[in-house]
Amino acid sequence: MIMRANLLPSVFCLLFACFALGFAARPAWAGAPADQISAPTQTSAPEGSNIQVENWAKPGTGWLYVLDPKPEAGGSGGRVWLVDPETAKVMGSIRTGDNADFALSPDGSRLYVASITNGDSSELAAIDTAQGVILQRSTIEDREVGNVLPPFSTMAVSGDGLALRILRDTPESADRDSFLLATFDTQTGNFLRRSVHLGNCGPGRFISYPTANQFDFLCPRTNRVRLISVDADSRELQNFDIVLPWERRVGAAVAIEAPGAQDVAIVRGDGAVFNMSLATQEFAETSASPVLPNRVPPAAWPSSPDRSRLYLGYNGEYDRSYDNRFYLDYGRPPNLRPNNALADEFRVLDTRTWRKIGTIKTKMAFWSAVTGNDGKILYAMAPQKHSILVIDTAKMRQIRILKVGGAPALALVAP
């Protein structure tokens, strides 16, 4: 299955020559060097603030930051738990407001937590993970949120650690949204004036984000992948989208950069995998074909650290009539991924051949997953059972269950 964008040849070649060269010509991010930034201090909580570090221990390598939107049945607000998976102990707790989200810097030194304070306003807290103190608080308007369990984060820190981007939903009218990416400069501690425009993208997510100047973004509502390049002030140098060559109702469950970073592998909602070439924009079928009637819910489905394996959560119990509209409606409230759209098994794919190399059956249904730093352990969130499933990736079987909070939905791993 092949698809090409409708671009003038000269423009096409110029744009994708940049990808072939790894965007070597992109301008450097204009943040002051770390040694020129004054050391931040603990900030007091302003009126209306609801992000508070309640207790904390310095995280060890491989510890989990767990996002729990509903720590107490019927209660308001959420938590971020710091969990040592080896001892199964909670080592820290951050109280949040509703609709919380989080992102971790690549070196693990900063945890960024956002949650609703009032109306469409959210607080953003930058937390020193070694000390467990809030270094800075900021406000962001119109952050994209949904009143359901989050299937993935809509905020991310660049691979070079210089920029945090947060998805915003700023309606142009009652029936038309305009999605933007706000940029928080992690060196200066300020939001940049400019935002990156995503059109009617919907609740999308980052595919790849190697530097502050370059990232790829998946838009579920428009059925497109956006390839974006910006300068130091977040001025758009390139914001180019590629239409996925299948009906939107088929969906895109997850997208990752294939080994070698020349292709983006897109897993459709029916389990088929297509490679999208960054150099030519052509789509190529792989040996991973549709697995019907099962579906892959849109979620944070992880790959191994070397990206040689992909762990896909499958759901085999969707109602067929409903499922035909699942991805078509996905991203349009109230048709976000419902809280009962769980997966009941992992299928492990070799990302070089796209052949299935194993199936992992779990003792309870799960929502999302993350791999440990060495790839030997897979952690699956089971919010309805207040649990995290611990899975041995070599033996491909569940070995333990961690009881954590009220509804653990997402997790990040401390480097």
Side-chain angles (χ1 to χ4, degrees):
M1 183 176 253
I2 305 297
M3 186 280 294
R4 293 178 182 273
N6 185 21
L7 288 178
L8 293 173
S10 59
V11 175
F12 175 87
C13 294
L14 177 60
L15 288 176
F16 285 92
C18 293
F19 278 101
L21 294 173
F23 285 88
R26 294 178 183 218
W29 184 261
D35 57 3
Q36 294 181 17
I37 300 296
S38 299
T41 57
Q42 169 83 359
T43 61
S44 59
E47 184 177 353
S49 172
N50 51 30
I51 299 176
Q52 296 293 332
V53 180
E54 295 187 327
N55 53 76
W56 201 255
K58 183 178 179 180
T61 299
W63 287 17
L64 302 177
Y65 299 95
V66 180
L67 185 68
D68 184 352
K70 296 295 180 182
E72 300 170 2
S76 62
R79 291 285 184 97
V80 175
W81 306 105
L82 177 64
V83 178
D84 179 353
E86 291 297 321
T87 65
K89 292 182 178 180
V90 172
M91 307 301 291
S93 170
I94 303 171
R95 185 175 291 278
T96 76
D98 290 329
N99 300 115
D101 200 355
F102 63 175
L104 186 65
S105 65
D107 64 1
S109 65
R110 297 290 182 269
L111 179 69
Y112 299 93
V113 179
S115 67
I116 294 290
T117 52
N118 183 38
D120 294 327
S121 296
S122 289
E123 179 182 16
L124 173 68
I127 299 169
D128 181 321
T129 57
Q131 301 179 58
V133 297
I134 296 177
L135 304 175
Q136 183 179 1
R137 299 176 190 268
S138 304
T139 300
I140 179 170
E141 300 294 331
D142 301 311
R143 182 174 60 89
E144 167 64 10
V145 299
N147 293 317
V148 292
L149 294 175
F152 46 79
S153 176
T154 56
M155 50 192 281
V157 184
S158 58
D160 55 18
L162 298 179
L164 166 70
R165 283 192 163 87
I166 302 174
L167 185 64
R168 300 176 62 218
D169 181 2
T170 59
E172 294 179 344
S173 63
D175 59 354
R176 182 173 176 81
D177 293 326
S178 179
F179 288 83
L180 306 170
L181 283 171
T183 306
F184 181 79
D185 187 326
T186 62
Q187 299 294 288
T188 64
N190 297 313
F191 277 100
L192 300 185
R193 182 173 59 85
R194 290 185 174 87
S195 296
V196 176
H197 294 76
L198 299 175
N200 197 27
C201 176
R205 58 196 131 151
F206 292 90
I207 299 172
S208 175
Y209 193 6
T211 70
N213 304 105
Q214 172 194 353
F215 50 95
D216 305 332
F217 203 80
L218 179 63
C219 291
R221 192 176 295 179
T222 57
N223 207 39
R224 299 168 187 259
V225 171
R226 283 186 177 262
L227 310 177
I228 298 170
S229 175
V230 298
D231 68 8
D233 295 320
S234 207
R235 181 185 291 107
E236 296 172 17
L237 304 178
Q238 172 185 296
N239 190 338
F240 176 70
D241 58 17
I242 301 172
V243 180
L244 301 180
W246 52 78
E247 295 181 32
R248 187 160 58 87
R249 66 178 180 83
V250 178
V254 69
I256 65 167
E257 277 195 354
Q262 297 304 310
D263 295 330
V264 170
I266 301 174
V267 181
R268 300 194 321 191
D270 60 8
V273 180
F274 285 74
N275 278 331
M276 183 190 81
S277 171
L278 292 175
T280 67
Q281 288 187 86
E282 294 180 344
F283 286 80
E285 295 184 60
T286 72
S287 59
S289 55
V291 186
L292 299 174
N294 294 348
R295 286 292 186 269
V296 185
W301 302 126
S303 57
S304 58
D306 63 0
R307 291 181 295 175
S308 65
R309 289 184 175 188
L310 179 62
Y311 299 92
L312 291 175
Y314 273 74
N315 183 317
E317 299 180 356
Y318 279 169
D319 177 80
R320 185 179 290 273
S321 61
Y322 167 77
D323 186 49
N324 285 335
R325 291 196 59 85
F326 179 79
Y327 271 98
L328 187 63
D329 291 339
Y330 178 70
R332 296 184 182 277
N335 299 302
L336 296 166
R337 177 183 168 189
N339 291 343
N340 61 356
L342 301 171
D344 45 40
E345 71 175 29
F346 284 101
R347 297 193 183 186
V348 187
L349 301 184
D350 183 322
T351 60
R352 294 180 175 85
T353 64
W354 290 112
R355 298 187 182 279
K356 188 179 78 168
I357 57 177
T359 299
I360 303 173
K361 300 286 187 178
T362 58
K363 296 179 180 179
M364 57 184 70
F366 52 91
W367 179 256
S368 69
V370 66
T371 51
N373 293 325
D374 58 8
K376 295 180 180 180
I377 296 294
L378 177 67
Y379 300 100
M381 309 300 115
Q384 293 184 346
K385 299 296 184 180
H386 329 296
S387 300
I388 298 175
L389 314 182
V390 182
I391 297 164
D392 185 315
T393 58
K395 298 178 180 178
M396 293 196 185
R397 64 180 179 87
Q398 182 181 321
I399 56 175
R400 283 190 296 144
I401 294 177
L402 307 177
K403 289 293 186 179
V404 177
L410 299 175
L412 302 170
V413 181

